[in-house]
């Protein structure tokens, strides 16, 4: 099981500083350039994170919805190892994204955020000959806030996808010290933690 830290920040210098601290401490396997960070700083924030963390994998949370090949190419050429496309995107977009990522030596993640039935969507992709490197089960921040939902409901879906379809799975969305023990004994491949780390009081210090 790998730990991915999502840097959903809008301060590029702080994101790079935090990434460097985590990597120097050996506390993270995958460093994520979150969507807000990429939108604030541009695609080259990925290159800055690559320099700060030369031995970690860098994930670009693009949430691609169209022009799959182009967006995968931009992020991987900037230094990303893993790139994300939305499960709600057209099969054509997902196929172009997966193929381009693979051609460039990167890995693809299909993010099932807001997909009502992730297991059915996985079946559709596999039936279309589309096999990503990862499937991401993701509870969005707005949904957590407005409905008070927690990620526990996605755990069984994540485990089912891994067990029944042989796909690597990642899970994200409000994971903290209370939720983490429930994931520890599963066979989930990547656990993604954001605010529990990036908004912790000591994490934002510059010492």
């Amino acid at each position: 099981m790998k730990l991915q830290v999502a840097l959903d920040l809008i301060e590029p210098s702080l994101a790079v500083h935090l990434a460097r601290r985590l990597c120097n401490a050996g506390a993270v396997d995958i460093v994520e350039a979150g969507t807000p960070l990429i939108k604030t700083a541009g695609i080259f924030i990925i290159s800055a994170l690559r320099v700060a963390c030369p031995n970690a994998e860098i994930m670009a949370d693009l949430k691609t919805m169209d022009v799959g090949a182009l967006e995968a190419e931009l992020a991987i050429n900037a230094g990303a190892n893993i790139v994300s496309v939305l499960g709600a995107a057209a099969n054509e977009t997902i196929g172009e994204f997966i193929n381009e990522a693979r051609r460039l030596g990167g890995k693809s993640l299909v993010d099932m955020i807001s997909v009502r039935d992730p297991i059915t969507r996985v079946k559709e992709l596999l039936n279309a000959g589309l096999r990503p490197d990862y499937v991401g089960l993701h509870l969005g921040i707005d949904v957590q806030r407005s409905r008070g939902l927690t990620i526990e409901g996605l755990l069984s879906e994540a485990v089912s996808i891994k067990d029944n379809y042989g796909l690597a799975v990642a899970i994200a969305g409000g994971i903290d010290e209370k939720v983490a023990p429930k994931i520890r004994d599963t066979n989930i491949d990547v656990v993604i933690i954001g605010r529990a780390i990036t908004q912790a009081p000591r994490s934002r210090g510059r010492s």
Side-chain angles (χ1 to χ4, degrees):
M1 187 179 291
K2 292 183 178 181
L3 173 63
Q4 177 172 316
V5 174
L7 300 175
D8 288 321
L9 306 172
I10 57 172
E11 303 168 73
S13 61
L14 178 59
V16 172
H17 169 76
L18 179 53
R20 184 177 290 110
R21 288 180 63 192
L22 289 166
C23 291
N24 287 346
V28 62
D29 301 295
I30 304 170
V31 175
E32 175 189 323
T35 311
L37 180 60
I38 293 173
K39 288 185 175 182
T40 300
I43 203 74
F44 295 107
I45 190 64
I46 298 168
S47 302
L49 294 175
R50 164 57 59 220
V51 172
C53 296
N55 298 316
E57 290 185 281
I58 305 297
M59 189 272 187
D61 191 15
L62 302 172
K63 293 190 175 72
T64 293
M65 193 65 180
D66 194 16
V67 291
L70 176 60
E71 293 204 358
E73 177 188 12
L74 290 172
I76 292 172
N77 284 346
N81 305 101
I82 307 167
V83 286
S84 71
V85 61
L86 290 175
N91 283 1
E92 291 84 355
T93 297
I94 294 174
E96 292 285 335
F97 190 93
I98 290 172
N99 290 338
E100 186 67 2
R102 188 168 293 140
R103 184 183 74 83
L104 294 171
K107 298 176 183 178
S108 57
L109 180 147
V110 174
D111 187 340
M112 294 293 178
I113 189 170
S114 295
V115 172
R116 191 172 296 276
D117 188 345
I119 293 176
T120 295
R121 185 64 179 128
V122 165
K123 291 179 185 177
E124 292 172 351
L125 294 176
L126 293 176
N127 287 339
L130 304 176
R131 192 176 186 89
D133 295 286
Y134 295 97
V135 172
L137 280 293
H138 189 172
L139 186 65
I141 291 174
D142 292 337
V143 172
Q144 294 173 50
R145 287 173 175 166
S146 65
R147 302 185 200 172
L149 297 180
T150 59
I151 202 167
E152 284 94 328
L154 296 181
L155 277 174
S156 61
E157 289 181 312
V159 172
S160 177
I161 288 170
K162 181 168 180 66
D163 289 346
N164 294 320
Y165 302 102
L167 293 168
V169 293
I171 192 162
I175 298 173
D176 56 20
E177 67 277 4
K178 297 178 182 177
V179 178
K182 299 175 183 178
I183 301 174
R184 184 184 301 132
D185 295 328
T186 69
N187 58 354
I188 288 170
D189 297 276
V190 180
V191 176
I192 303 168
I193 300 179
R195 289 169 293 163
I197 291 176
T198 62
Q199 293 185 15
R202 294 186 61 189
S203 71
R204 300 179 74 86
R206 293 184 179 272
S207 58

